[in-house]
Amino acid sequence: MREPPSSSLIQAVEDIPFVTPDTTERDVAERLAAYNLLALPVCDERNRLLGAVTVDDVLDRALPPDWRQRQRPAGRTA
């Protein structure tokens, strides 16, 4: 959290961007990048929290399914 310890919880979360279940994958990725976030809350039309989408989720969707099985370039061990 980047809010001072004296802040209330409502103050800390009222300006956090969120997405809805029908937000496009591209919009999710753009919001994560624009706000430099690791995750975004997913809320319904009544602003109830449904879950979260993370940077890892976006990468998993953007990369081909077999990206982990591909051969690593020579000289790389990690």
Side-chain angles (χ1 to χ4, degrees):
M1 304 281 303
R2 296 182 179 150
E3 300 294 326
S6 60
S7 296
S8 69
L9 182 58
I10 194 70
Q11 288 172 316
V13 299
E14 76 183 349
D15 291 329
I16 292 178
F18 67 91
V19 294
T20 62
D22 60 341
T23 303
T24 66
E25 291 177 16
R26 182 180 179 100
D27 284 344
V28 169
E30 287 176 357
R31 288 184 198 186
L32 286 167
Y35 290 96
N36 197 26
L37 298 171
L38 297 176
L40 281 169
V42 179
C43 298
D44 67 11
E45 66 279 350
R46 296 174 71 191
N47 291 336
R48 292 179 297 194
L49 182 65
L50 301 175
V53 62
T54 68
V55 164
D56 288 342
D57 296 328
V58 171
L59 288 172
D60 284 344
R61 296 290 296 209
L63 295 170
D66 66 342
W67 72 269
R68 284 191 171 111
Q69 286 75 37
R70 292 183 182 182
Q71 183 178 359
R72 291 196 171 121
R76 295 195 115 185
T77 58

